[in-house]
Amino acid sequence: MSTHTHLGEEPVRFDTKIAVLLRDDLEPWQRLNVTAFLVSGLGTAVPEVIGEPYEDAGGEGYLPMFRQPVLVFEGTKETLTAAHGRALSRALPRAVFTSDLFATGNDRDNRAAVRAVPTADLDLVGLAVYGPRNAVDKVLKGARMHP
């Protein structure tokens, strides 16, 4: 999503942030897979993040998407663990992806794999978080923008 102005329009500024934090040792295919899975939960749990449906000039319709950019960050395992704790303490809407999920093949097994591990012991490889910009920035402290 661009924030460029057209014909005197003001750029769109959001007071909220959608962010994904990925562990810095993931393979490229894992980064893409984890990001896609993590953000998929936000639209159902936080419907205000979804914009209006799209339509091309030929009248073909397309699904609505997020109304604001998704910012992707990376950090160490320790950064991810700390961010997870801060997201929990702030009660922000969040999604997690653990290393165990690379070995499962369906939603039921994914949920069972997360349920089997105590919160403090989750081997996190990804975290998505949504909320007020300043709160999300605090959650992501120590992370860097994904290159």
Side-chain angles (χ1 to χ4, degrees):
M1 170 182 269
S2 173
T3 56
H4 292 88
T5 58
H6 300 281
L7 304 174
E9 293 175 10
E10 288 297 312
V12 176
R13 303 269 185 236
F14 296 99
D15 57 359
T16 57
K17 186 179 271 189
I18 298 171
V20 172
L21 174 56
L22 300 171
R23 204 164 73 191
D24 58 8
D25 61 351
L26 297 179
E27 295 294 327
W29 73 266
Q30 291 174 317
R31 293 169 188 263
L32 296 169
N33 183 267
V34 170
T35 300
F37 268 92
L38 285 171
V39 299
S40 70
L42 286 177
T44 56
V46 191
E48 67 265 22
V49 301
I50 303 296
E52 296 298 316
Y54 286 70
E55 184 176 303
D56 66 25
E60 294 295 334
Y62 303 95
L63 295 172
M65 297 185 283
F66 292 128
R67 65 183 177 94
Q68 66 191 88
V70 175
L71 302 172
V72 182
F73 296 82
E74 69 174 6
T76 63
K77 181 175 183 170
E78 294 75 22
T79 300
L80 207 53
T81 299
H84 179 243
R86 290 191 290 266
L88 292 174
S89 70
R90 287 174 170 75
L92 294 175
R94 68 232 168 232
V96 295
F97 198 106
T98 67
S99 62
D100 298 329
L101 302 188
F102 289 127
T104 58
N106 61 75
D107 186 54
R108 184 188 67 237
D109 292 343
N110 286 351
R111 285 182 284 111
V114 173
R115 191 181 309 112
V117 181
T119 306
D121 297 332
L122 291 171
D123 185 17
L124 298 167
V125 297
L127 172 72
V129 64
Y130 170 76
R133 182 183 309 174
N134 61 343
V136 173
D137 287 344
K138 287 176 179 154
V139 164
L140 296 174
K141 184 179 175 195
R144 59 193 174 278
M145 286 297 292
H146 193 281

